[in-house]
């Protein structure tokens, strides 16, 4: 079966967590909006029946699955990227939902007044939110995942077997390095397990091939992780 | 089996979406922090192994399940609050994750600079975010669910069978009425299907009994839905 991934064509965004899972699995998929334009995607969102609220969504045969973590829940079972037991499945899904929360907080560093205004219209509150984010939230979230790696002994979050959560944590480290190079450099000494996990994921053959291909869209200032120099200051406002 | 629900004892918050499902199901559960204090809850979050990142979490036998939507995914299958097919399960979970996104946006109306500062320290950005929320986001989210009710013909989101998503949508309508009485009153004429769904859920015997019991914590200004007069103005700043 050839999967169809529907996501905005110009950004990594939330779709990237799905792309990484598809690539690691060596799954056959088409990135619809990139390869065929946005028309088909918009049509599915406007359709009757059970339309998704927003991209990304995945067409798998007759199924259309929306919400990033829900897509990964589905793919994880089919491609060996999640444990087989119910307890294991619920656990990695729980972790992915925690990453979902973190991703929204990352987005809100540059959009504290909401997704409907431009960054340029919210620069002052963005500075304050970013300061709080690095002071309180990054240590809490990344400290939590670092602690899980300590509990299992690693190298993956659940121990020895790779799951989609590990792929997503790679993307979190990669994205924070892009968006906040100075802050992240200083912070990385506190999360050696996550940095090691990041490096191991990056070195996996399928991921390595993907990252150097043109299927990997470069980071830019339209996505979740944006590099705005004024937000990467070490000074908390 | 007696479930143990772990959540902050003084608020409805995210725990309420779980409480409503447990109550509708007539499940045997103990609201641990309310009945036995916070000690047990904090201990589980600090534990080794697979600790939850944050409340709510549910102990079901040996399983400990975190993240609201993940708990509902688990309960839905066991208590007839979700479809039995894989496609149906993924669909209602997808809808619940969309509600999760909405809940965070509701929270951010009074906490645009993040959860670590007091409301009193972010009143001006809260006004702007709330204005955008009611102008752009409420119509988008509630319009989406209203459209689904039109597609299925109702009275529930998936048609005739009640699911945990319907219980959560009841809570969204109830909460928005509490937090923004003026704005919501004006908006409700656009969402007759959701108002009807709300009323039907409220009239169900188990829910009705729950709402009039002291197990239902009253809304207050510590939870997701907070009534701040200055945010309920019809003027968009």
């Amino acid at each position: 079966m050839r999967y169809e991934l529907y996501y905005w064509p110009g950004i990594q965004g939330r779709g990237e967590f799905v792309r990484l899972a598809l690539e690691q699995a060596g799954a056959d998929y088409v990135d619809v909006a990139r390869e065929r334009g946005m028309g088909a995607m918009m049509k599915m969102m406007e359709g009757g029946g059970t339309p998704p609220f927003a991209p990304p969504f995945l067409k798998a045969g007759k199924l259309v699955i929306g919400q990033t973590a829900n897509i990964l829940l589905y793919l994880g079972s089919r491609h060996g990227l999640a444990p087989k037991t119910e307890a294991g499945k619920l656990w990695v899904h729980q972790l992915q939902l925690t990453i979902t929360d973190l991703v929204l907080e990352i987005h809100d560093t540059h959009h504290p007044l909401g997704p409907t205004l431009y960054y340029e219209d919210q620069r002052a509150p963005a500075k304050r939110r970013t300061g709080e984010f690095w002071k309180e939230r990054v240590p809490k979230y990344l400290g939590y995942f670092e602690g899980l790696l300590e509990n299992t002994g690693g190298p993956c979050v659940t121990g020895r077997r790779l799951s989609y959560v590990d792929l997503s944590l790679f993307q979190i480290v990669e994205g924070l390095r892009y968006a906040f190079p100075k802050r992240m450099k200083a912070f990385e000494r506190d999360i050696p397990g996550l940095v090691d996990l990041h490096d191991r994921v990056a070195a996996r053959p399928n991921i390595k091939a993907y990252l150097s291909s043109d299927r990997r869209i470069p980071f830019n200032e339209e996505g979740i992780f944006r590099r705005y120099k004024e937000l990467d200051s070490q000074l908390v406002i």
Side-chain angles (χ1 to χ4, degrees), chain A:
Chain A
M1 180 178 58
R2 186 168 213 204
Y3 294 114
E4 293 178 3
L5 172 64
Y6 292 81
Y7 195 63
W8 307 113
I11 59 172
Q12 291 182 15
R14 289 176 174 80
E16 196 64 15
F17 300 99
V18 181
R19 289 193 189 103
L20 285 166
L22 291 167
E23 293 282 346
Q24 169 57 31
D28 185 19
Y29 76 101
V30 52
D31 204 333
V32 177
R34 291 194 76 194
E35 297 178 36
R36 301 178 193 160
M38 299 253 288
M41 182 167 98
M42 301 319 284
K43 206 171 161 187
M44 282 178 75
M45 288 171 64
E46 287 154 13
T50 57
F53 181 73
F57 48 93
L58 185 79
K59 194 163 184 303
K62 284 184 181 176
L63 274 178
V64 178
I65 308 159
Q67 285 281 355
T68 308
N70 201 34
I71 300 170
L72 292 173
L73 176 68
Y74 173 84
L75 290 175
S77 299
R78 274 159 192 76
H79 296 282
L81 289 172
K84 288 196 191 308
T85 63
E86 183 186 29
K89 275 191 187 111
L90 288 165
W91 171 240
V92 298
H93 188 52
Q94 174 179 331
L95 295 179
Q96 191 66 40
L97 291 173
T98 302
I99 292 172
T100 302
D101 290 343
L102 170 56
V103 166
L104 197 54
E105 293 200 32
I106 293 166
H107 178 267
D108 280 359
T109 58
H110 48 78
H111 275 73
L113 300 187
T116 49
L117 297 171
Y118 290 110
Y119 168 67
E120 286 68 23
D121 296 327
Q122 45 190 313
R123 290 169 71 156
K127 264 197 174 172
R128 285 192 67 195
R129 175 126 195 181
T130 301
E132 283 299 304
F133 175 71
W134 276 94
K135 189 172 141 221
E136 303 282 352
R137 305 302 283 170
V138 171
K140 183 166 166 137
Y141 277 106
L142 298 194
Y144 172 73
F145 287 106
E146 185 72 17
L148 297 182
L149 287 166
E150 281 167 20
N151 290 350
T152 62
C156 297
V157 154
T158 61
R160 287 169 61 187
R161 290 289 296 262
L162 186 82
S163 74
Y164 57 75
V165 170
D166 301 299
L167 303 175
S168 294
L169 287 171
F170 156 81
Q171 177 70 1
I172 294 290
V173 170
E174 194 76 1
L176 290 175
R177 283 181 178 175
Y178 171 78
F180 305 100
K182 281 192 212 164
R183 291 181 186 270
M184 187 62 175
K185 194 175 179 188
F187 186 75
E188 282 191 25
R189 69 180 70 114
D190 294 338
I191 49 163
L194 279 172
V195 170
D196 177 61
L197 170 64
H198 166 277
D199 296 348
R200 285 170 188 264
V201 168
R204 295 186 78 98
N206 285 6
I207 298 296
K208 197 174 170 186
Y210 168 60
L211 295 176
S212 64
S213 76
D214 60 7
R215 298 192 301 287
R216 172 82 164 181
I217 302 166
F219 284 109
N220 60 48
E221 279 56 58
E222 304 293 324
I224 305 286
F225 298 100
R226 305 189 187 186
R227 182 177 289 179
Y228 294 124
K229 238 181 177 173
E230 64 269 31
L231 299 185
D232 192 31
S233 153
Q234 295 284 356
L235 290 169
V236 176
I237 308 289

